Amino acid sequence: MKFQFKRSRAAAALAIVTVAGLALAGCSTSTSTTSSGLTTDPTQIKGSITFSTWWAYANQKLVDGFSKEYPNVKVKLDFTAIDTYPTKLQALASSGDLPDVFAAQNASLVDLQKAGQLYNLKDALATAPYDGKAKTWGGSFNASLLKGANATLDTSKGETWGVPFNAISVASIYNKDIFDKVGIKVPTTFAELLSNCTALKDAGYIPMSLTGAVWGTWWTSLAWDQTMNGEKVADFSVSDPNYIKGFQIVQKMAKAGCWTDSQVTTDIAAETSLFLQKKTAQFVSVPENFLASVVKGADFKLGTYVLPALDGKDPNRILGGGNANVLVVNKASKNLSAAVAFAKYLTSTKVETDLASSQFTIPSLDINLSSGNPLMAAYLEAAGHGFTDSSTYLPNFSTAGYTTYSTEIFPNLVLGKITPEQAAQQTEGLFQK
Amino acid sequence: MADTIVRSRTRLRRRVPRAASWVLWGYGVISIYPLVWLVIQSFRQDGEILRSPWGLPASPNLNGYLTAFQTTPLAQYFLNSLLVTLSVVVLSVVCCAGAGYAFSRLRFPGSNAVFATFLGVLVVPAPVLLLPVFLISRDLGILNSYVGLIGPYVAGTLPIGVYLMKTHFDAIPDSFVEAASIDRASPWQTFRMVMLPLIGPAAATVAVLAFMAAWNEYIYALVSIHSPELFTLPIGIADLGAKKFIYGYAPVFGAMVLTALPVYIAFVVAQRSFIQSLTIGGGVKG
Amino acid sequence: MSRIASERRRSRLLGLLFAAPAIALLFLFLIWPIITGIGYSTTSASGYGDKTPVGADNYVRAIQDPDLYAALGRNIIFAVIVVVASITIGFVLAYFLYMKIRGWRALQVLLMVPYIMPVVVTALLWQFMLEPENGLVNAALRAVHLNALAGPWLTGEGTALGTVSLVQVWVTVPFAMLLIFGALIALDHEVLEAAEIDGAGTFTRMTRIVLPMVRPTIVLVAVVLSVQLFRSFDLVYLLTRGGPINSTTIATLYVFVQGFINNEYGYANAVGIVIGAVLVALALLPRLFSRRAAFREKANHG
């Protein structure tokens, strides 16, 4: 008797909500509550949230654009330099003061999820996006990028912990004057890339940037996507010839003289400086931040080209970004509705297109971009080839394992101190269990 | 008193080999060149710096400084740094002097053990302390405040500061103290009449150590402060440095000059009294 | 009798009062954090909020960790180079300044610059200067045909630690110079004048007469510097981040990398404690030797 009474009460309540929902549906394109209890109605979302990031182009103007549609929400922007950003996150995580929405990458992302600090965005992704043609927020993203953002995390229960903010596309900027002087052309095959390196080295230039302090390991990642694509990660072994081949490709580049020894520790500023001083002929980088500074500082002719396939398999996919630029929501946030809404805003078509044209970023959404800037074309073309999906054929490095790999094994390989076979062997035990 | 020294030096001066001059001025150039370079670079255009790091400004301008001030409230950061650092210096000298004197002259039960503890904490590497100090500050409610920086910074100077002070007080000959006790002076009076005037060199050293530690400290300030109104200069420099690919190097260099120059000017101004305070300790052998 | 006793009690209370603020701060921000750190060291915390206890596992691992001992070894090399070089150069400079050559006041101001520059500035400047291709140092060496000396400095595995030590020397010399100068000024200059009248040359005066007179200060400077150098972090981190290939990973850097880059925060604390224990052992070593020597003497002389 009691039970029936309760059920009819519940039914009545449900009816009211549905009617209200239908009534409001005329005002907004989404239902006013998600299945997890979050509001998506802009008029109902109020309060203040904190957004933390290391992205230099995230400024108050970007953040204020959110207030146009959500006037009752105040967003505080917390910028910290990338070097110390993880330390700050650690401190805030230990004391339970993480920001509501924030960017995370690599090791800190993995450990944040393990410690249960992240909010499961699965339900939110099924709701409508901030803008754009896609039906759901999840659908607005490039599928492989969304997958990549969560690839190093535990998603065994179908969770989605983060969304990709931007994609990593890599191309080579080159000094046209040097190329003309040495008499070489833009390479279309790996062999041409190598012969260019040798020619440039013989002419007394540094052929290519390495940025060993942060970007060196791109080369192995690009190589493995060529040699190991199609293999299954469950079958992975460090003795796999295709795995070793990735190291051999890097060794070939080192032997062709593409880099000088000191470049295993150069940082971005040093490489940019060398390029602008016409000492380096080719600068391999991402477009945001650096394309603009190179264009501003160069007093020579510039060109860009798409990197050729390192093992001949076209179209060669580009890095994509994996877990390098991920946006997450704090599980303990006191204003989840506002946090999720802000995350949707940051990954909206409007914001990502604006940033792409003004800051040379590559959007993580499934939208077509054509840039007015001819230099940007190579990056967009590379992105158009698709993104690498290493989690299908390669296990993830553990945090400490990646440190060993990037600061010892990779540099030693480039310096010629170890062979590719030794490098592969030394990575045994460096992967996540 | 300084004059007397100079006058008697004139006799020695003639014997000073030319080499001394060369060595000093040569090393002086090595010492100051980086600062000179920094100041010159801060007046250059963005692209220039990366293109030719050792050249002179093509058209010197203040753009770097303007951009620095427009993008970050450097003046506010400067005042914050100044407030925190000066407080740390004063409190460090006071606390270290008090404790140094206590361990040296006013033995209380267990003072040896406590003094050993002061030194003992030195063996623990600083990164171990970073998060715990943060958590403790949070529990005390002093995060994101001036006190939250001053407290840990003063604590950081205690081990060496107390050691220096104690060593200094130990070196004061007992005859001084005996003279005071013959006059039936209480321990407090002994401190005031005898110890305090002689405190010069040790206090100066502790002050220098405290100043350098507090003015330049970065990691803890970064972690414990999140209101922009309270940021210190090192955080401001790091911010500008992080955005150097958007705004260029000139603003970073400008901010660095602004951080380095006041310290330098303060030293020049304080130099005379500093040397004098080092000299006043003439009654005590080095 | 009772008056002396009450005076003694009063002075003891005064002692406690005088030392109270320092003791309070010591406990709040040094002792308590160390205890918290020890607490963390028995867990496998990543620093992001999780905290699973693992007992003494971290310590077992730390004691057997070759990287830990390598880091300590680098610290010793670093400290020895910096202390010896800084004090030597500092003494020479202080002595010449003491001679009050013309313009000594201006010189002193110039010579202090390296010590008072903020660390971030120093690190950035020296990175630029020591850049193998473009840096001023190598450009200058090549200009005087000393190409063989134009090495990889901060970017070479074999040269990085030495280079970092030299930069630290550049920073530390003014501090040593200042303290030694203070000691020189406090000296009894009549002794020096007597030596000069006796015809002693500058070098003899400097080393045979003045040097022994300022020995206590030099020992003090050496002790203070050694302690500070073992805790050194900022400069080395900003210059090389511990690279290339860990060749400049000194003890504090090793703890930092473990705790904040590898996110093995629990292990980092254990490493820190083990390093502390090793340093205590190192510090007590001389005393052990002198006690043994005294013991042996006693035994020999029956």
Side-chain angles (χ1 to χ4, degrees):
Chain A
M1 216 34 218
K2 248 192 193 170
F3 200 64
Q4 272 180 314
F5 191 68
K6 266 200 181 145
R7 226 196 275 172
S8 64
R9 254 225 244 154
L14 190 61
I16 295 174
V17 169
T18 318
V19 168
L22 286 170
L24 284 170
C27 309
S28 69
T29 51
S30 56
T31 53
S32 66
T33 27
T34 67
S35 53
S36 49
L38 292 187
T39 348
T40 52
D41 177 5
T43 58
Q44 295 210 332
I45 297 181
K46 50 168 94 70
S48 63
I49 56 172
T50 330
F51 166 55
S52 286
T53 181
W54 66 82
W55 302 321
Y57 43 78
N59 51 23
Q60 197 58 43
K61 196 164 136 242
L62 171 70
V63 163
D64 289 341
F66 179 66
S67 309
K68 289 211 189 83
E69 271 237 12
Y70 291 80
N72 299 325
V73 181
K74 195 160 160 278
V75 182
K76 180 170 175 284
L77 171 66
D78 240 342
F79 168 83
T80 311
I82 180 67
D83 285 348
T84 37
Y85 186 79
T87 311
K88 185 138 195 199
L89 269 190
Q90 264 181 319
L92 294 173
S94 311
S95 64
D97 296 322
L98 281 172
D100 300 278
V101 186
F102 57 100
Q105 60 173 196
N106 306 329
S108 40
L109 182 64
V110 172
D111 288 305
L112 278 166
Q113 187 265 315
K114 266 199 226 156
Q117 305 269 21
L118 302 180
Y119 175 70
N120 182 2
L121 293 168
K122 175 160 171 261
D123 292 332
L125 284 168
T127 61
Y130 182 85
D131 63 7
K133 294 197 198 87
K135 286 229 180 68
T136 61
W137 187 30
S140 64
F141 291 105
N142 176 307
S144 79
L145 288 177
L146 182 59
K147 180 161 170 266
N150 291 274
T152 52
L153 309 172
D154 177 12
T155 52
S156 49
K157 299 201 186 78
E159 307 108 322
T160 308
W161 301 110
V163 292
F165 180 64
N166 277 326
I168 294 186
S169 174
V170 175
S172 172
I173 316 176
Y174 68 99
N175 185 326
K176 272 194 180 160
D177 295 341
I178 296 182
F179 267 45
D180 289 340
K181 200 159 154 205
V182 176
I184 51 178
K185 286 206 192 46
V186 163
T188 51
T189 67
F190 183 55
E192 282 173 26
L193 184 91
L194 291 181
S195 66
N196 279 356
C197 280
T198 317
L200 286 165
K201 182 175 170 217
D202 291 338
Y205 294 101
I206 302 176
M208 194 181 273
S209 70
L210 177 62
T211 327
V214 279
W215 292 342
T217 53
W218 281 354
W219 293 103
T220 36
S221 302
L222 289 171
W224 283 326
D225 195 64
Q226 293 270 298
T227 61
M228 293 177 73
N229 192 6
E231 297 188 359
K232 289 214 174 57
V233 63
D235 302 332
F236 176 77
S237 129
V238 296
S239 321
D240 176 1
N242 288 332
Y243 177 64
I244 299 178
K245 199 166 182 201
F247 290 113
Q248 287 169 333
I249 289 175
V250 169
Q251 187 200 39
K252 279 202 196 126
M253 293 182 71
K255 284 215 174 120
C258 287
W259 309 299
T260 63
D261 284 354
S262 54
Q263 282 176 295
V264 293
T265 53
T266 44
D267 62 5
I268 303 168
E271 293 281 8
T272 315
S273 174
L274 286 171
F275 183 69
L276 289 177
Q277 290 175 56
K278 307 177 208 167
K279 300 230 166 104
T280 313
Q282 302 165 92
F283 184 37
V284 177
S285 77
V286 294
E288 65 254 30
N289 293 333
F290 315 113
L291 186 60
S293 71
V294 166
V295 166
K296 243 197 283 176
D299 57 355
F300 46 85
K301 279 205 292 270
L302 291 171
T304 51
Y305 67 83
V306 178
L307 294 172
L310 296 181
D311 200 28
K313 300 192 178 73
D314 283 310
N316 51 334
R317 308 192 290 189
I318 203 61
L319 289 170
N323 62 2
N325 266 335
V326 182
L327 196 62
V328 294
V329 171
N330 177 8
K331 185 166 178 199
S333 165
K334 297 202 179 69
N335 201 336
L336 279 173
S337 312
V340 170
F342 187 69
K344 283 188 185 175
Y345 165 73
L346 282 179
T347 52
S348 65
T349 310
K350 174 175 177 308
V351 166
E352 298 234 346
T353 337
D354 278 347
L355 283 177
S357 59
S358 65
Q359 305 283 349
F360 300 131
T361 56
I362 307 270
S364 53
L365 306 176
D366 230 349
I367 50 183
N368 277 326
L369 270 193
S370 57
S371 172
N373 186 328
L375 290 174
M376 189 62 181
Y379 298 93
L380 293 171
E381 191 189 324
H385 288 182
F387 300 111
T388 63
D389 193 2
S390 61
S391 58
T392 52
Y393 49 79
L394 195 63
N396 300 311
F397 280 102
S398 69
T399 311
Y402 183 74
T403 308
T404 311
Y405 167 61
S406 57
T407 58
E408 287 179 39
I409 301 178
F410 184 82
N412 277 330
L413 176 69
V414 168
L415 292 172
K417 292 205 170 132
I418 56 178
T419 66
E421 292 76 14
Q422 287 171 323
Q425 271 310 114
Q426 286 176 13
T427 61
E428 177 82 68
L430 296 181
F431 300 101
Q432 268 178 358
K433 307 268 182 320
Chain B
M1 186 173 174
D3 290 345
T4 340
I5 300 178
V6 174
R7 244 181 280 135
S8 59
R9 285 285 164 272
T10 33
R11 269 186 283 160
L12 276 172
R13 202 185 282 183
R14 274 183 280 118
R15 290 288 180 92
V16 173
R18 202 71 67 71
S21 243
W22 278 106
V23 168
L24 276 180
W25 282 103
Y27 198 82
V29 168
I30 300 176
S31 294
I32 200 167
Y33 178 74
L35 185 64
V36 168
W37 178 83
L38 183 71
V39 174
I40 292 178
Q41 295 308 309
S42 68
F43 290 118
R44 295 177 79 187
Q45 287 289 71
D46 310 330
E48 278 183 76
I49 297 176
L50 285 177
R51 232 183 303 140
S52 56
W54 310 111
L56 291 169
S59 49
N61 58 62
L62 287 172
N63 280 351
Y65 291 93
L66 286 174
T67 317
F69 275 102
Q70 277 165 357
T71 50
T72 46
L74 279 181
Q76 180 68 38
Y77 294 179
F78 180 77
L79 287 173
N80 291 333
S81 271
L82 200 64
L83 177 68
V84 168
T85 305
L86 289 179
S87 310
V88 170
V89 168
V90 169
L91 287 174
S92 287
V93 173
V94 168
C95 288
C96 292
Y101 184 62
F103 291 132
S104 172
R105 300 282 162 179
L106 304 171
R107 303 281 163 75
F108 53 87
S111 62
N112 277 337
V114 179
F115 181 62
T117 321
F118 268 91
L119 295 180
V121 296
L122 281 175
V123 299
V124 180
V128 171
L129 301 172
L130 187 63
L131 281 197
V133 173
F134 174 78
L135 291 171
I136 289 168
S137 300
R138 183 177 178 274
D139 289 341
L140 291 173
I142 57 175
L143 269 190
N144 205 36
S145 70
Y146 292 122
V147 176
L149 284 183
I150 295 173
Y153 287 174
V154 174
T157 61
L158 285 179
I160 298 213
V162 168
Y163 172 74
L164 283 173
M165 285 288 185
K166 175 175 184 291
T167 315
H168 179 77
F169 283 127
D170 280 347
I172 293 180
D174 286 331
S175 48
F176 282 57
V177 182
E178 275 160 28
S181 70
I182 285 174
D183 290 341
R184 294 259 194 264
S186 72
W188 170 247
Q189 280 171 323
T190 318
F191 183 67
R192 234 169 21 106
M193 305 297 168
V194 178
M195 300 298 174
L196 221 40
L198 293 173
I199 209 174
T205 314
V206 174
V208 166
L209 287 172
F211 187 93
M212 297 311 297
W215 185 256
N216 294 323
E217 208 282 331
Y218 171 56
I219 289 251
Y220 188 70
L222 177 88
V223 156
S224 74
I225 306 263
H226 53 82
S227 299
E229 320 84 73
L230 295 173
F231 282 162
T232 54
L233 272 176
I235 300 180
I237 294 183
D239 264 13
L240 284 171
K243 299 184 180 158
K244 62 178 174 277
F245 295 109
I246 297 189
Y247 299 116
Y249 263 107
V252 189
F253 288 167
M256 287 182 173
V257 170
L258 291 172
T259 310
L261 274 188
V263 183
Y264 196 54
I265 292 173
F267 179 75
V268 172
V269 163
Q271 189 209 15
R272 207 170 268 260
S273 54
F274 199 75
I275 303 293
Q276 251 185 346
S277 73
L278 285 175
T279 316
I280 287 174
V284 185
K285 285 273 169 4
Chain C
M1 194 63 199
S2 58
R3 211 236 271 126
I4 295 177
S6 72
E7 252 187 34
R8 206 174 291 162
R9 206 188 317 144
R10 208 180 339 146
S11 85
R12 278 210 209 110
L13 280 174
L14 200 68
L16 265 172
L17 193 69
F18 268 42
I23 296 180
L25 283 171
L26 178 84
F27 180 75
L28 263 184
F29 295 117
L30 287 169
I31 306 279
W32 192 356
I34 292 179
I35 296 175
T36 313
I38 295 180
Y40 269 112
S41 71
T42 56
T43 70
S44 67
S46 66
Y48 283 99
D50 58 341
K51 238 176 166 184
T52 36
V54 290
D57 285 1
N58 286 336
Y59 283 97
V60 174
R61 185 174 150 207
I63 295 179
Q64 299 171 335
D65 189 348
D67 292 331
L68 193 159
Y69 297 108
L72 274 173
R74 291 183 200 112
N75 250 127
I76 295 177
I77 298 175
F78 178 69
V80 167
I81 295 179
V82 176
V83 169
V84 170
S86 304
I87 291 185
T88 312
I89 301 178
F91 175 72
V92 171
L93 291 177
Y95 187 73
F96 286 159
L97 273 183
Y98 178 56
M99 311 242 94
K100 300 293 200 309
I101 70 169
R102 199 178 315 176
W104 68 276
R105 264 191 245 277
L107 260 177
Q108 185 157 52
V109 162
L110 279 190
L111 291 170
M112 285 304 293
V113 169
Y115 185 66
I116 57 187
M117 272 213 306
V119 180
V120 284
V121 181
T122 310
L124 185 71
L125 288 179
W126 279 103
Q127 273 181 326
F128 264 108
M129 302 252 282
L130 290 170
E131 233 261 294
E133 305 287 327
N134 298 317
L136 198 66
V137 171
N138 277 1
L141 285 172
R142 290 192 193 113
V144 293
H145 297 294
L146 280 172
N147 291 36
L149 283 179
W153 303 118
L154 291 171
T155 60
E157 211 184 335
T159 58
L161 189 61
T163 311
V164 161
S165 307
L166 287 181
V167 178
Q168 182 70 58
V169 169
W170 183 81
V171 169
T172 315
V173 159
F175 179 72
M177 179 191 82
L178 192 70
L179 289 186
I180 297 177
F181 184 69
L184 284 174
I185 292 193
L187 283 183
D188 189 359
H189 57 272
E190 284 172 6
V191 179
L192 289 165
E193 278 176 32
E196 188 204 354
I197 288 168
D198 279 347
T202 318
F203 190 67
T204 325
R205 268 206 308 272
M206 190 163 79
T207 52
R208 295 274 174 76
I209 299 169
V210 179
L211 188 52
M213 287 169 86
V214 291
R215 196 142 82 89
T217 305
I218 289 191
V219 170
L220 184 74
V221 171
V223 168
V224 172
L225 278 185
S226 304
V227 170
Q228 286 198 309
L229 288 172
F230 265 91
R231 319 191 69 225
S232 175
F233 177 78
D234 285 349
L235 184 65
V236 181
Y237 180 71
L238 288 171
L239 278 175
T240 58
R241 300 256 186 290
I245 314 184
N246 292 334
S247 54
T248 55
T249 302
I250 53 180
T252 44
L253 260 173
Y254 186 60
V255 175
F256 182 81
V257 167
Q258 289 299 331
F260 294 96
I261 300 197
N262 287 349
N263 294 341
E264 295 207 52
Y265 187 64
Y267 181 60
N269 280 301
V271 169
I273 303 292
V274 171
I275 288 179
V278 172
L279 288 179
V280 168
L282 276 179
L284 293 177
L285 215 58
R287 213 178 282 185
L288 195 70
F289 273 130
S290 65
R291 220 188 272 174
R292 264 225 201 126
F295 215 67
R296 222 176 284 146
E297 280 244 346
K298 239 195 189 165
N300 283 344
H301 290 242

